[in-house]
Amino acid sequence: MAKKTIETGLKPEVNIQAIGSDLQVKGWDRREVLAKSSSDNDLILEERDEIIHVSSPTDCVLYVPHNATIKAENIGKSARFR
């Protein structure tokens, strides 16, 4: 299982570009974004121009600060936000 983390401020902008299967997004009280995927080598979590970009060819669980702004583009199956 792949796991990547990026430290953020209180209100990061997160762009979920492509998830090949199921997506779960969970809010938490930390100043970081954590992405977990069953795809060991292909999980992308990177910051460009103050925006955090996420993609995975398989499923993904994403933990974001409660005040994050989220944009989701291509989700392969289902998405759940909590």
Side-chain angles (χ1 to χ4, degrees), residues 31-47:
R31 291 184 180 197
E32 62 186 12
V33 172
L34 168 66
K36 295 181 183 180
S37 174
S38 59
S39 176
D40 285 335
N41 298 320
D42 298 321
L43 173 64
I44 296 172
L45 178 66
E46 61 187 13
E47 185 174 1

Side-chain angles (χ1 to χ4, degrees):
M1 174 173 278
K3 181 176 165 180
K4 296 184 178 182
T5 304
I6 290 181
E7 293 201 22
T8 68
L10 288 174
K11 298 180 182 181
E13 186 174 338
V14 180
N15 183 6
I16 302 167
Q17 296 176 309
I19 303 298
S21 187
D22 296 322
L23 169 68
Q24 291 185 52
V25 179
K26 301 176 182 183
W28 64 355
D29 292 327
R30 297 183 187 179
R31 291 184 180 197
E32 62 186 12
V33 172
L34 168 66
K36 295 181 183 180
S37 174
S38 59
S39 176
D40 285 335
N41 298 320
D42 298 321
L43 173 64
I44 296 172
L45 178 66
E46 61 187 13
E47 185 174 1
R48 294 188 314 261
D49 300 324
E50 298 184 20
I51 299 172
I52 297 170
H53 298 272
V54 181
S55 64
S56 173
T58 60
D59 60 299
C60 184
V61 179
L62 193 62
Y63 294 86
V64 300
H66 285 292
N67 293 322
T69 301
I70 300 169
K71 178 181 177 185
E73 295 180 18
N74 298 307
I75 309 302
K77 289 189 179 180
S78 65
R80 182 172 21 170
F81 295 82
R82 297 193 303 177

